[in-house]
Every structure is written in structure tokens, then in C-alpha cells.
Amino acid sequence: MATQQECEEALTRVAGKLAGADPSARAKLDGRTLSCAVRDLDLLYVGRLADGALSEIRGIPADQRAALPPAQLRLHVDSDDLVLLSRGELDFAKAWLSGRVRLEASMGDLLRLRSLL
């Protein structure tokens, strides 16, 4: 099981990869909110996609989660898989199809995300 610090480093790597993606693909998701629930550590991170980058990433304490509106893009993953995804050692599509990763979003956002993943 990865640590909280390793998960935060992984999210920083993911943010960097998004910033390096095709500008036209990134622009389609600008302004969307994103949450990442790390299931095995009971952690929740939220952020915003803006100017092609994942920004404003912050951890949300368990006692404050109920008051949050749901993010537009919601990722559910175990800590080890988050680290592997961020390093490029786990293919997102295969992880999603096998149930290791769950992604909830509108159909339009899923289609837009396809070009980034």
C-alpha cells in the first residue's frame, strides 16, 4: 500500500502529464472539477482543470466531504494503482476495464477525456 505522500506525489505527476498533453484536447476540459478517491487510504483529493493543467489540488478531511458538491470527473483508485498510473506502469484503459480504476463522468466528458488518457 502506497503512503499518503506517495499518492500526493503521484497526483503531481498526473497534473504534469495533463499539462503536457495536446493543447486542443486539454482545452475541452477546462473548468471541470476533478476528485480522486484513494479507496484503501480513505483519502479524497479535489482539484480543477484550468488552462490545461490540474490545479488547486487539496486533500479533503473526512468530516468535510459530505458538504462538497460532487466533482464533474470522479476517479476511484487504490493507492498502489494511482502510483503505477502516474508512472506509466499501468495502462488506464486496462485498469478501467478490469475494475482497478473507476471513473465517473458525463458521457461528453468521458469522450473528451479519451484523448488525454
Side-chain angles (χ1 to χ4, degrees), residues 80-102:
D80 288 337
D81 289 337
L82 175 61
V83 171
L84 291 173
L85 284 167
S86 74
R87 292 180 182 160
E89 297 172 17
L90 178 62
D91 180 69
F92 182 85
K94 289 179 183 176
W96 178 69
L97 288 171
S98 68
R100 291 173 70 175
V101 173
R102 193 172 92 213

Side-chain angles (χ1 to χ4, degrees), residues 5-59:
Q5 181 177 350
E6 289 171 317
C7 289
E8 290 169 3
E9 291 167 359
L11 285 170
T12 300
R13 279 192 297 275
V14 169
K17 288 180 181 184
L18 288 174
D22 176 55
S24 63
R26 291 187 330 226
K28 294 176 184 175
L29 290 168
D30 269 358
R32 301 293 195 281
T33 55
L34 174 93
S35 67
C36 178
V38 184
R39 298 181 289 221
D40 57 336
L41 296 178
D42 192 29
L43 299 173
L44 178 68
Y45 295 96
V46 297
R48 177 173 296 281
L49 294 166
D51 298 323
L54 181 58
S55 61
E56 303 174 30
I57 304 168
R58 64 189 197 285

